[in-house]
Amino acid sequence: MSSTIGVPTTPVEDGTSPGPDREFTIEARSQRQQIVSRFFHNPSAVIGLVVFALLVLIAYIGPMFYKYNESYLPKNYDSANSGPGVDGHILGQGNLGRDLLAQMMGGIQRSLYIAIIVMVVAGAIGVIYGAISGYFGGHTDNILMRVLDFFLVIPSLIVLMVVSQNFPGLRAFWAIGLFLALFGWFDLARLVRGSFLSLREREFIEAAHSIGTSSRRIIFKHLVPNAAGTIIVWLTLAGATAVLGEATLSYLGYGVQGSGYSLGRLVSDGVEAADQRPWMFYFPGIALILIVLSINLIGDGIRDAVDPSNSQVRA
């Protein structure tokens, strides 16, 4: 949909209203189009999206064309610790002679799975929990916040270590993702509750109440969209934090075991050889940094696109 307006460019001297000398055509854009436009006009966000897309391609499309596959990487002690490019191993080989790039592809996949699990599961729990607490307030809010206080005193890292030891192999990876999500929604619930407490007194919510709009519709059609900026920022931070959390557990030996690989485990395997065989340590470490950085840049870009006043405030 477009409209044409006239703008006078001739100076007014006799007090009469001049006619339009130039016309501009303004094309009306939907809110979604404006958000997309603002996102793609943000250089940092575009860089983050490009890096993230490249990582996804490497992790999921790369194994289809690469001659080495993570699911079958026989040990080859004769060529162990070979550098990048030797015998067709693009990023070199580890201390067991296994191809490092193939292991990294599997590790990147698991890091992305972890981020998605935490963002979806913890995001859903945190939004619903915080929304109920903030919207209804009163006794409901008090009870839910005390329950939340109880969850906060649970030593989540110790629980995760115990859980991972009871799930061998790749099952530990899924268990870690789920438990990171179950222990990761507390801050989001508090943020959503705070946003709802301030929003529920606004005029448009009172108007919705006056016409008999249901609580569920008010929460999900009016309040959640107005808290979208806060939720999106938290989701991206949670995704990046979950990736680092899984990497930390794997680095400490409590993450993925057996034939599966994670970036944290690869970093752990290569840390002692960082001086003599730096590719074993730096390549997985750089991949881990790029995942976290790209997710954060995309999150910042989405937040600024949804609420451009945030970027103006920072500037």
Side-chain angles (χ1 to χ4, degrees), residues 117-290:
I117 291 172
V118 172
M119 292 169 72
V120 172
V121 177
I125 297 174
V127 169
I128 294 173
Y129 197 96
I132 294 173
S133 181
Y135 178 76
F136 292 102
H139 294 301
T140 302
D141 181 37
N142 289 331
I143 294 172
L144 291 179
M145 286 300 102
R146 298 297 77 78
V147 173
L148 188 58
D149 291 339
F150 169 76
F151 285 130
L152 286 171
V153 302
I154 298 176
S156 57
L157 182 60
I158 295 176
V159 174
L160 285 168
M161 289 179 174
V162 173
V163 167
S164 66
Q165 295 304 297
N166 291 308
F167 291 89
L170 288 177
R171 291 174 59 193
F173 158 75
W174 295 107
I176 290 172
L178 182 59
F179 274 83
L180 281 173
L182 293 178
F183 284 102
W185 56 271
F186 309 140
D187 290 337
L188 177 61
R190 289 182 178 276
L191 290 171
V192 172
R193 170 185 175 268
S195 296
F196 275 39
L197 286 175
S198 63
L199 288 169
R200 69 175 187 172
E201 305 298 334
R202 302 281 290 273
E203 290 81 0
F204 69 96
I205 298 300
E206 294 180 359
H209 280 300
S210 66
I211 60 175
T213 306
S214 67
S215 295
R216 188 176 65 176
R217 185 173 179 81
I218 291 175
I219 290 174
F220 290 104
K221 291 291 184 180
H222 300 289
L223 291 174
V224 169
N226 279 280
T230 300
I231 296 171
I232 290 171
V233 172
W234 184 90
L235 288 177
T236 54
L237 290 175
T241 303
V243 170
L244 291 175
E246 185 276 329
T248 301
L249 287 170
S250 296
Y251 182 86
L252 296 173
Y254 292 94
V256 178
Q257 307 292 329
S259 59
Y261 293 94
S262 80
L263 294 177
R265 181 180 171 187
L266 292 174
V267 170
S268 177
D269 291 342
V271 67
E272 294 182 358
D275 293 333
Q276 294 77 25
R277 299 178 292 279
W279 60 89
M280 292 174 58
F281 172 75
Y282 286 105
F283 285 143
I286 291 172
L288 189 60
I289 292 172
L290 289 177

Side-chain angles (χ1 to χ4, degrees), residues 74-124:
K75 298 177 181 177
N76 186 357
Y77 293 104
D78 294 336
S79 60
N81 302 322
S82 297
V86 176
D87 296 332
H89 297 281
I90 295 177
L91 297 184
Q93 294 167 270
N95 50 19
L96 297 179
R98 288 169 171 162
D99 185 87
L100 183 58
L101 178 57
Q103 297 175 67
M104 285 180 55
M105 289 176 180
I108 294 172
Q109 285 184 17
R110 287 179 192 97
S111 292
L112 297 178
Y113 283 141
I114 286 286
I116 293 172
I117 291 172
V118 172
M119 292 169 72
V120 172
V121 177

